[in-house]
């Protein structure tokens, strides 16, 4: 049985195209099954930080990366490439073929937006195929496409059938995206995600299973403070927290240096509980203290009534930037240089096989 991991955001997380693709495979008797790891509300930094944990938890034979809806268009091209390279380095280390899936998102000018060019670039340079559902759905947007979409992004049952049928047709055989592997296998990853459940003295008693991997959260009740030992100096760049009805403001500090950040873990969608990555920059921290405020965020929910009870914070991972050696930094620099030359090569006839 060939296992294809569909890794992406909310369209992948919600029931829809994965079920349709599996139903078609079963109907044809084809030995392929589609697995799911959907990270609704997240973006490239979350996946880049957690990619090794995701792949460890969900063994597969190939990966379909649905990473191009959501907030990716807020990044410039160089930043998108850097995060995508981190993800591809992890799949290459496991010798996994990959393909890209580009889904529709409302409000995007698909004639000019940067993601389409990036997908074409990765196909031309590294042989990574992609299925572009975004452009044809956008082209149909002059008419009534509410039968496909419930909003600007998420699908109706008819839309799920269409997406699943196209995905299955695209991946009826293992995708041919192996050519990239030799160019990414030795690329060092920039991030490590430290699960709090693995640190001494901490009990992570709240479990969340929405993302296809187990997430165990340390709970911090209102008015309390916990210390998270990091074991050695680490360059902290973010936390994986929950947003939800009881969430509020967390204060994250490096106790040795007195530096800290207030983090509001609440938004208009906090009528349900979900994981979120939040940036917190604390270089060379040996420990963190995290405190939960009693303040209730003054943010209107899209539906329902706010929870009047005490606030509770939850943290599952501390995300750190690895301290790369000179050789590792040189490898990443050489990778970017080679890509730049390969991008210019067809234009100027400069490079062959760089």
């Amino acid at each position: 049985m060939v296992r294809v991991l569909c890794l992406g955001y909310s369209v992948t997380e919600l029931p829809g195209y994965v079920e349709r693709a599996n139903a078609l495979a079963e109907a044809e008797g084809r030995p392929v099954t589609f697995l799911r790891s959907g990270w609704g509300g997240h973006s490239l930094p979350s996946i880049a930080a957690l990619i090794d944990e995701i792949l460890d938890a969900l063994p597969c034979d190939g990966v379909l990366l649905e990473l191009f809806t959501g907030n990716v268009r807020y990044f410039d091209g160089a930043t998108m490439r850097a995060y995508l390279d981190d993800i591809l380095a992890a799949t290459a280390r496991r010798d996994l073929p990959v393909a890209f899936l580009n889904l529709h998102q409302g409000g995007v000018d698909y004639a000019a937006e940067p993601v389409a060019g990036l997908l074409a670039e990765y196909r031309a340079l590294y042989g990574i195929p992609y299925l572009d559902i975004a452009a044809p759905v956008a082209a149909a947007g002059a008419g009534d496409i509410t039968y496909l979409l419930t909003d600007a992004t998420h699908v109706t049952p008819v839309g799920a059938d269409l997406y699943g049928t196209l995905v299955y047709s695209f991946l009826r055989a293992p995708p041919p995206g192996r050519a990239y592997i030799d160019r990414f296998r030795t690329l060092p990853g920039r991030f490590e995600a430290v699960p709090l459940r693995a640190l001494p003295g901490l009990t992570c008693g709240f479990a969340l299973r929405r993302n296809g991997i187990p997430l165990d959260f340390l709970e911090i009740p209102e008015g309390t403070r916990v210390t998270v030992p990091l074991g050695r100096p680490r360059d902290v760049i973010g936390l994986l927290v929950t947003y939800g009805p009881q969430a509020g403001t967390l204060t994250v500090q490096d106790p040795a240096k007195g530096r800290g950040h207030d983090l509001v873990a609440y938004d208009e969608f906090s009528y349900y509980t979900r994981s979120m990555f939040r940036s917190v920059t604390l270089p060379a921290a040996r420990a963190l203290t995290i405190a939960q405020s009693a303040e209730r965020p003054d943010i209107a929910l899209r539906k329902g009534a706010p929870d009047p009870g005490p606030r509770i914070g939850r943290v599952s991972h501390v995300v750190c930037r690895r301290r790369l050696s000179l050789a590792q930094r040189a490898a990443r620099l050489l990778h970017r240089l080679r890509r730049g030359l390969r991008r210019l090569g067809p234009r100027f006839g400069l490079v062959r096989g760089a």
Side-chain angles (χ1 to χ4, degrees):
M1 181 69 71
V2 176
R3 300 159 299 176
V4 178
L5 175 62
C6 301
L7 174 55
Y9 305 130
S10 58
V11 179
T12 294
E13 179 181 359
L14 295 169
Y17 79 84
V18 175
E19 283 79 6
R20 175 61 174 164
N22 276 321
L24 289 169
E26 183 177 359
E28 282 197 352
R30 189 168 291 273
V32 56
T33 187
F34 296 87
L35 311 174
R36 182 203 328 271
S37 186
W39 295 77
H42 287 257
S43 191
L44 288 170
S46 308
I47 307 300
L50 292 163
I51 182 62
D52 284 307
E53 190 168 342
I54 293 168
L55 294 175
D56 286 345
L58 295 164
C60 60
D61 303 296
V63 184
L64 180 66
L65 294 171
E66 182 263 300
L67 301 176
F68 308 104
T69 53
N71 298 323
V72 296
R73 291 170 182 84
Y74 293 119
F75 300 122
D76 59 64
T79 303
M80 278 199 290
R81 289 182 183 88
Y83 282 128
L84 192 53
D85 286 355
D86 288 308
I87 295 165
L88 293 173
T91 56
R93 287 192 294 271
R94 290 167 169 78
D95 199 37
L96 295 174
V98 299
F100 294 148
L101 175 60
N102 192 22
L103 298 182
H104 181 265
Q105 182 180 350
V108 174
D109 179 1
Y110 282 99
E113 62 94 29
V115 168
L118 181 142
L119 296 179
E121 174 189 310
Y122 274 70
R123 180 171 63 185
L125 298 183
Y126 305 120
I128 298 176
Y130 66 90
L131 172 61
D132 184 9
I133 299 176
V137 171
D144 181 6
I145 57 172
T146 58
Y147 69 99
L148 293 177
L149 302 174
T150 62
D151 54 22
T153 303
H154 301 94
V155 291
T156 65
V158 173
D161 282 353
L162 173 63
Y163 279 21
T165 301
L166 293 172
V167 166
Y168 176 65
S169 298
F170 181 57
L171 296 176
R172 290 176 77 246
R178 289 188 179 275
Y180 84 100
I181 289 175
D182 287 342
R183 300 189 182 278
F184 283 83
R185 193 195 307 272
T186 59
L187 188 67
R190 296 180 297 160
F191 308 111
E192 59 177 338
V194 181
L196 269 60
R197 66 176 180 269
L199 298 178
L202 301 178
T203 300
C204 297
F206 180 82
L208 192 64
R209 297 292 185 269
R210 293 183 62 244
N211 304 109
I213 69 170
L215 296 176
D216 298 306
F217 289 83
L218 173 70
E219 293 193 309
I220 307 162
E222 179 180 300
T224 66
R225 178 187 305 269
V226 300
T227 298
V228 176
L230 298 178
R232 57 179 172 79
R234 297 178 188 263
D235 294 330
V236 176
I237 62 168
L239 302 177
L240 200 67
V241 302
T242 61
Y243 278 36
Q246 295 177 299
T249 300
L250 290 164
T251 299
V252 185
Q253 291 184 308
D254 177 349
K257 300 182 178 68
R259 295 173 296 186
H261 302 270
D262 287 339
L263 186 159
V264 179
Y266 194 92
D267 63 9
E268 62 185 343
F269 300 101
S270 292
Y271 49 83
Y272 72 102
T273 299
R274 67 198 196 277
S275 63
M276 291 291 287
F277 173 82
R278 288 298 304 271
S279 296
V280 174
T281 303
L282 292 168
R286 290 181 174 272
L288 301 178
T289 58
I290 308 174
Q292 176 61 56
S293 166
E295 179 183 356
R296 287 166 176 75
D298 185 18
I299 299 172
L301 296 175
R302 285 210 173 187
K303 65 181 182 180
D307 188 310
R311 303 295 91 189
I312 185 165
R314 299 186 180 102
V315 182
S316 70
H317 290 70
V318 177
V319 178
C320 308
R321 185 181 290 273
R322 287 193 174 99
R323 296 186 175 184
L324 301 182
S325 67
L326 284 174
Q328 290 172 321
R329 281 182 280 171
R332 290 194 67 92
L333 181 61
L334 183 59
H335 174 81
R336 293 196 301 270
L337 177 62
R338 284 175 169 164
R339 172 164 48 218
L341 290 172
R342 287 169 64 85
R343 291 171 67 195
L344 290 172
R347 192 179 309 170
F348 299 105
L350 295 175
V351 178
R352 293 185 183 277

